[in-house]
Amino acid sequence: MADVSHRVTAYAGGAKYEVLIGRAILADALRREEVGSYERVAVIASARVYDLHREYLEESLGALGGRSCLILMDDRELNKSYAAAGRFLDQFIEIGMNRKSAVIGVGGGVVGDFAGYCAGVYMRGIPIIHVSTTLLAMVDSSIGGKVAVNLSVGKNIVGLFHQPSLVVSDTRFLDTLPDIEFRNGLTEALKHGLIGERKTLRMLERNDMDSIKHEDRILGLVARSVSFKSKIVQRDERERDVRAILNFGHTVGHAIESFMEYRGVSHGGAVATGIQVMVGISRRLGLISGADADRANRIIASYGLMLEKQACDLDGVIKHMEYDKKNFGDSAKFVLLKGLGNPIINQRIPLNMLREVMAEVIC
Ligand code: NAD
Ligand code: GLY
């Protein structure tokens, strides 16, 4: 039996849920009273995670008794689709899911978004429990209730806000996580550091890629991000204002990913590059000091978070920002930093400045 190392209570949309963080805590988490009240449970698990952790998962899911039905998902992004959701919802009917049932998603952000979407729409919404197996899901995607699937024209177009009833971040799963996926999670933790979670920033500065993986540090890093993000979501669940700070670096990052057609580019690498562009623009506008800009860039470099510099079509990338934001003319709105830890939203940036800073960072 293992102990929960950190427990965060998150409030959102008039409800609250617990986030349990620790090593080898899944079985105990699934024995909680609220989980026991569900009559039927569909467990949507990443097929890869199931292959890598089969014994541990089967033992832990045993806590659900005969109420659970395991459905494996090939968790490539292209399968986080509206069409696939329809097939999973048909399976829910076949296995007898009703209003007293719940869904558990076991995987990274792809499974979490997908399982959360299926739970959110099935019979007008049944509970979703996220069991996060990637660092990104632990520090970011399992928190805050955004769930969505993709259409062929773009990512996360069909979705809703559906807050989880429980989140379990069991670091035992991270033992098998590839470094590139680990970096994706570190980038989101760094984002939290730069927009206000100052201890995370200091922790990233004092460590390197090897030492940050120490069990206690990872548990602490996840707990700080969960606590930070959930407080922002508590203030603004529907992203009417302050939640927009969580998009820091993401507009440029998403444009790079979509320009590259999601091939040969990691999400974390694209976002870290977007963060560098926003730091560069904040510096140009005199909003942050040279020392602060250097501090941010040093962390990005020391963990190898950014993309390799490459010959690139800046106008092509900017075009993809236009699809994303629909508010372009000769300037566009972004999240900038007025000092490290102090984000400001809705900042208009002239396109020529955006292009110049992107040229410095990317090409
Ligand atoms: P992911 O879910 O695609 O997982 C990355 C890869 O790691 C996959 O190949 C997966 O099979 C594998 N994997 C998962 N756990 C593993 C483990 N323990 N060991 C070994 N391999 C493992 O990636 P992600 O970065 O977790 O999530 C990205 C998704 O999250 C995107 O779809 C993005 O849109 C979404 N997202 C959502 C939010 C939100 O607020 N809802 C926030 C950020 C990102
Ligand atoms: N990942 C951004 C958000 O949850 O708002």
Side-chain angles (χ1 to χ4, degrees):
M1 188 173 291
D3 288 331
V4 169
S5 309
H6 301 267
R7 186 184 301 264
V8 179
T9 306
Y11 300 84
K16 70 171 184 176
Y17 58 94
E18 297 286 310
V19 184
L20 308 177
I21 303 155
R23 186 176 178 83
I25 57 171
L26 183 55
D28 280 351
L30 296 181
R31 280 191 207 101
R32 286 165 66 93
E33 203 180 321
E34 72 263 37
V35 184
S37 69
Y38 305 133
E39 288 180 358
R40 193 101 177 95
V41 183
V43 180
I44 300 182
S46 150
R48 175 172 301 188
V49 173
Y50 184 74
D51 275 352
L52 291 166
H53 298 270
R54 185 177 196 138
E55 206 176 312
Y56 178 62
L57 265 177
E58 283 183 350
E59 202 180 295
S60 304
L61 295 174
L64 299 170
R67 294 171 297 138
S68 71
C69 178
L70 180 65
I71 310 175
L72 296 182
M73 175 180 183
D74 170 353
D75 60 356
R76 281 173 294 167
E77 182 73 35
L78 67 91
N79 290 329
K80 194 183 106 178
S81 68
Y82 186 64
R87 292 192 292 274
F88 274 65
L89 293 169
D90 282 341
Q91 282 198 59
F92 285 6
I93 295 284
E94 283 160 22
I95 64 172
M97 297 277 283
N98 61 28
R99 295 274 319 138
K100 291 181 181 158
S101 305
V103 179
I104 299 180
V106 181
V110 164
V111 170
D113 279 11
F114 183 83
Y117 173 79
C118 291
V121 297
Y122 189 71
M123 297 193 172
R124 297 196 188 83
I126 58 173
I128 172 72
I129 294 174
H130 293 302
V131 176
S132 305
T133 66
T134 63
L135 185 61
L136 181 136
M138 293 181 189
V139 300
D140 190 356
S141 63
S142 62
I143 308 301
K146 281 188 183 176
V147 293
V149 291
N150 307 329
L151 293 182
S152 52
V153 289
K155 267 186 76 159
N156 298 333
I157 290 184
V158 182
L160 65 154
F161 291 91
H162 187 52
Q163 298 296 338
S165 41
L166 178 67
V167 177
V168 185
S169 286
D170 184 337
T171 53
R172 186 176 158 148
F173 290 108
L174 298 183
D175 294 353
T176 55
L177 194 70
D179 271 357
I180 187 164
E181 300 301 340
F182 194 81
R183 286 193 171 90
N184 287 340
L186 280 183
T187 300
E188 300 296 352
L190 169 65
K191 174 193 78 180
H192 291 152
L194 292 172
I195 62 173
E197 219 306 299
R198 290 166 200 271
K199 279 192 186 158
T200 294
L201 212 53
R202 286 199 290 276
M203 191 173 176
L204 288 170
E205 276 178 316
R206 286 183 193 141
N207 286 282
D208 58 21
M209 191 63 176
D210 285 335
S211 64
I212 199 81
K213 287 183 170 174
H214 184 281
E215 188 72 28
D216 287 343
R217 291 192 194 104
I218 280 299
L219 289 166
L221 190 84
V222 172
R224 275 194 263 282
S225 269
V226 167
S227 181
F228 178 77
K229 181 172 178 181
S230 58
K231 280 190 194 122
I232 289 166
V233 175
Q234 183 178 354
R235 286 166 61 196
D236 176 27
E237 186 199 24
R238 302 288 160 134
E239 202 174 305
R240 297 206 166 91
D241 44 65
V242 68
R243 187 170 181 165
I245 65 173
L246 298 173
N247 300 329
F248 179 59
H250 279 60
T251 302
V252 171
H254 284 160
I256 295 172
E257 281 184 285
S258 108
F259 173 72
M260 306 277 286
E261 296 178 341
Y262 302 94
R263 280 195 277 268
V265 55
S266 70
H267 174 70
V271 169
T273 302
I275 288 175
Q276 282 190 305
V277 171
M278 292 303 114
V279 165
I281 289 171
S282 303
R283 174 72 197 119
R284 278 229 186 166
L285 293 171
L287 295 167
I288 59 170
S289 65
D292 277 351
D294 289 347
R295 226 181 127 192
N297 288 328
R298 254 198 316 273
I299 297 173
I300 291 173
S302 74
Y303 289 90
L305 301 181
M306 66 284 174
L307 299 174
E308 296 284 317
K309 287 206 176 212
Q310 51 192 284
C312 52
D313 170 4
L314 289 179
D315 289 324
V317 176
I318 288 172
K319 193 104 196 123
H320 281 260
M321 275 180 246
E322 295 178 30
Y323 301 142
D324 193 27
K325 302 206 77 131
K326 299 177 186 62
N327 65 351
F328 266 54
D330 52 8
S331 68
K333 286 185 189 167
F334 291 87
V335 183
L336 295 177
L337 295 179
K338 194 171 178 185
L340 292 191
N342 188 24
I344 42 176
I345 60 172
N346 291 332
Q347 298 301 300
R348 283 215 167 266
I349 302 172
L351 276 192
N352 57 356
M353 184 187 290
L354 177 66
R355 191 178 284 105
E356 279 166 25
V357 176
M358 282 174 67
E360 282 166 19
V361 172
I362 302 175
C363 306

